[in-house]
Amino acid sequence: MKLYDSINKTLAAQGRNTTSTDMYNFVANWAQWYRGNVDKFHYYYQTLTNGKRRKVERLTLNMAKKVCEDMTRLIWSEKTRIELSKQEQTVKLWEILDSKQNNLSVNLPRFIEKTMALGTGMIVEIKQGDNVLLDFIDADLIIPMSHSNSYISEVATISRSTGLVGEKKVYNSLLTIHQFDGKTYTKEHQLYRSTDVNALGEKISLDTLYPDLEEVVKYETDTPHFQIYRPNIVNNLDLDSPMGISIFANRVDNLKAVDLKYDCFYNEFQMGRKRILVDRTAVKSAVDTDGNNVQFFDTDDATFMAINGMDNQPVKDIDFSLRAQEHITAINTELNYLSAGVGLGQDFYNFNGSKAAKTATEVISENSDTFRSKVNHEIILRDVIYDMVKAVCELADIESDSISITFDDSVIEDKAAAARQALIEYNAGLIDKVEYFVRAHGMEKDQATQYVSEIEDRNQEVVEEEPDAE
């Protein structure tokens, strides 16, 4: 893309490393699928019987966003724990992480979801006065520079704004270059201005727009104040690029197939609705004996269709048979291909004829593909969160000799095994009936207590009704 080529040219002129910009075309395409509206797919022209063409919108289930949402819920939830060695240190840390400016509990899952969709995301820790702020950056604003294997040690981010110089519209671009050499983290700011949206333009003074921003900031540290997050899958689209790929990057054909079949499912009801053919003369108004115009058919009712040549059969009912179940089966087949392809496993989704595809189950077992994908993505996320917390603690002067990150595994459970184990422990007298129903049937404790009480009451009634032995 032209803007990224312009940025690379500017960086190369400064003697800095640059990488291919081809990935941004993919990122732009993934963003359209994530939005649920792809220009070259969801809008097309249809030729009518009269030869005219009309623009038609293809309906979508927006499964690209759905798979990113569900993968995010698997690897992150409000039950995930981030703790330091001492309680008071953990409290101080979370006062920063969940401050109004950072709101990590809300912004981190959003960041993870967008990274799953766009392939790459970046977190930057910023010291601003007495506050430590977190900046979450999307893939289209990240330009990797130096990297070794998958580790990016130098990266540029861009922030754009528009303004007016005289009567001309200008595009201001703040380029921030982050560099870490293992001992020092350096952050450099450069400001550019252009009248062309696709060009970086000429370098101008930072004071023009950012008088309080230092041109170069350095920290002596063993922790970079930026983290790059990517889904833990290989970038097979550009093997030399350090950027990641969307979890649905290799499943775009499946996304198309799902939407094609869903759109066809909708059209099946639109085109196959009941119609009544009537002779064209029957829809004309007539004058009755009192001189009033009388309309025998409601001409605004789309059920009626007036045609010529119905003299021998003035009214004919046409009721098409719908192929609803065939469409539902076809959609579910494509959903299985899609869910398996993105790592959620077979039968994760079930389309039952409603607008949305629903998750088949809220519980996954430890030997499932879904569980393996969850653990696989958590490997990189754990490292990102660890370095983020370490950088925050350094900037906020919080002791961080031990950082503990515990992901929520409550969705991972083998129900059958749990029920068997609960029965064994109940028969052995290790747990009571209430605990058995809590663990084997997922009841709340109050619900289980009431259920056991009702069983005991029914058993007592049976005993009292038995006749005495003669």
Side-chain angles (χ1 to χ4, degrees):
M1 299 177 73
K2 293 182 179 180
L3 175 61
Y4 301 101
D5 290 336
S6 176
I7 295 172
N8 264 5
K9 185 177 180 180
T10 299
L11 294 174
Q14 298 175 9
R16 300 180 185 272
N17 295 320
T18 59
T19 58
S20 170
T21 61
D22 293 340
M23 284 299 300
Y24 298 100
N25 292 313
F26 292 113
V27 171
N29 186 46
W30 298 333
Q32 288 191 52
W33 279 105
Y34 180 63
R35 189 177 68 232
N37 197 315
V38 181
D39 293 338
K40 293 183 179 180
F41 179 77
H42 288 106
Y43 293 98
Y44 62 98
Y45 284 92
Q46 186 181 70
T47 302
L48 304 178
T49 55
N50 59 7
K52 294 183 178 180
R53 300 176 77 227
R54 65 174 180 178
K55 193 173 185 179
V56 182
E57 180 180 2
R58 180 174 284 121
L59 300 188
T60 178
L61 280 176
N62 202 358
M63 290 305 299
K65 177 166 174 54
K66 181 64 175 169
V67 297
C68 294
E69 288 177 355
D70 289 330
M71 188 64 77
T72 299
R73 291 191 185 103
L74 284 177
I75 63 179
W76 177 268
S77 80
E78 70 281 356
K79 295 180 182 178
T80 304
R81 299 198 306 275
I82 302 174
E83 299 170 317
L84 302 179
S85 56
K86 296 179 181 178
Q87 179 64 23
E88 60 184 68
Q89 296 168 352
T90 302
V91 171
K92 289 181 181 179
L93 171 66
W94 274 101
E95 285 177 352
I96 296 172
L97 297 182
D98 256 356
S99 64
K100 288 185 178 179
Q101 298 96 324
N102 296 323
N103 200 2
L104 187 79
S105 297
V106 173
N107 288 323
L108 184 59
R110 291 179 178 178
F111 167 76
I112 295 171
E113 182 183 320
K114 287 194 287 185
T115 302
M116 288 292 163
L118 303 180
T120 309
M122 180 173 171
I123 305 176
V124 180
E125 295 78 39
I126 304 169
K127 180 73 171 180
Q128 193 173 87
D130 295 331
N131 298 320
V132 177
L133 305 180
L134 300 176
D135 190 13
F136 299 93
I137 304 173
D138 296 335
D140 58 336
L141 303 176
I142 301 170
I143 302 99
M145 296 160 63
S146 299
H147 65 95
S148 176
N149 294 324
S150 61
Y151 179 71
I152 299 174
S153 58
E154 188 176 16
V155 60
T157 58
I158 183 170
S159 174
R160 304 203 88 191
S161 62
T162 58
L164 288 175
V165 175
E167 295 183 354
K168 283 188 176 181
K169 184 177 182 179
V170 295
Y171 300 90
N172 302 305
S173 302
L174 178 64
L175 203 63
T176 305
I177 300 171
H178 309 261
Q179 187 177 23
F180 179 68
D181 61 6
K183 297 179 180 178
T184 306
Y185 164 61
T186 305
K187 181 166 60 175
E188 180 182 345
H189 298 105
Q190 301 176 8
L191 183 61
Y192 295 85
R193 175 170 287 172
S194 172
T195 56
D196 182 359
V197 67
N198 293 314
L200 190 61
E202 298 295 326
K203 188 176 182 181
I204 61 176
S205 172
L206 273 176
D207 293 338
T208 307
L209 296 177
Y210 307 99
D212 298 327
L213 200 61
E214 296 182 60
E215 187 171 336
V216 179
V217 180
K218 289 190 176 184
Y219 293 90
E220 298 299 323
T221 177
D222 61 355
T223 304
H225 295 178
F226 67 92
Q227 297 80 41
I228 304 293
Y229 179 50
R230 291 155 293 198
N232 197 5
I233 49 180
V234 175
N235 181 352
N236 63 316
L237 303 179
D238 187 346
L239 297 177
D240 296 324
S241 174
M243 295 186 72
I245 61 172
S246 170
I247 62 171
F248 56 78
N250 290 285
R251 298 296 159 184
V252 171
D253 285 345
N254 291 137
L255 294 173
K256 290 180 179 179
V258 169
D259 284 354
L260 278 169
K261 289 175 173 59
Y262 175 66
D263 186 64
C264 187
F265 177 73
Y266 172 81
N267 288 329
E268 182 76 6
F269 286 88
Q270 282 287 95
M271 304 301 293
R273 67 180 185 272
K274 182 177 180 179
R275 292 177 174 85
I276 299 176
L277 303 182
V278 298
D279 192 87
R280 188 171 297 278
T281 57
V283 298
K284 296 179 179 179
S285 60
V287 179
D288 62 12
T289 55
D290 296 327
N292 300 317
N293 283 328
V294 179
Q295 186 76 53
F296 296 101
F297 290 95
D298 183 0
T299 55
D300 294 328
D301 190 339
T303 304
F304 296 105
M305 297 187 64
I307 64 174
N308 294 323
M310 294 285 293
D311 296 336
N312 297 327
Q313 191 178 4
V315 178
K316 184 177 181 180
D317 187 348
I318 299 179
D319 196 356
F320 297 94
S321 60
L322 301 177
R323 300 168 298 166
Q325 189 54 52
E326 289 87 343
H327 281 82
I328 292 173
T329 301
I331 293 172
N332 278 323
T333 299
E334 295 298 342
L335 289 175
N336 281 338
Y337 290 144
L338 176 63
S339 62
V342 299
L344 291 172
Q346 285 277 358
D347 301 319
F348 192 85
Y349 294 112
N350 177 41
F351 180 81
N352 59 9
S354 61
K355 167 65 177 174
K358 298 181 179 179
T359 302
T361 178
E362 294 297 328
V363 180
I364 60 177
S365 63
E366 293 186 6
N367 61 353
S368 67
D369 292 338
T370 313
F371 171 73
R372 295 188 184 97
S373 295
K374 168 182 165 63
V375 174
N376 188 47
H377 288 302
E378 285 174 353
I379 293 172
I380 294 182
L381 182 59
R382 185 188 300 275
D383 290 342
V384 168
I385 295 176
Y386 185 95
D387 286 348
M388 177 195 73
V389 170
K390 194 173 181 182
V392 168
C393 289
E394 181 179 286
L395 292 173
D397 197 22
I398 299 174
E399 185 180 349
S400 61
D401 55 328
S402 176
I403 300 173
S404 173
I405 302 167
T406 307
F407 290 103
D408 174 27
D409 287 339
S410 61
V411 295
I412 304 167
E413 180 185 354
D414 189 329
K415 282 189 170 182
R420 286 194 299 270
Q421 184 62 29
L423 181 60
I424 291 171
E425 293 182 13
Y426 171 72
N427 290 333
L430 300 177
I431 61 174
D432 59 12
K433 291 181 180 179
V434 172
E435 181 66 18
Y436 168 77
F437 284 111
V438 169
R439 290 168 54 180
H441 296 276
M443 294 183 179
E444 296 292 336
K445 189 171 183 179
D446 292 343
Q447 181 187 8
T449 301
Q450 182 179 353
Y451 187 69
V452 170
S453 178
E454 291 174 357
I455 292 175
E456 292 175 346
D457 289 344
R458 288 198 299 270
N459 291 339
Q460 183 64 32
E461 290 173 2
V462 171
V463 171
E464 292 177 352
E465 290 175 1
E466 288 182 356
D468 294 335
E470 294 183 358

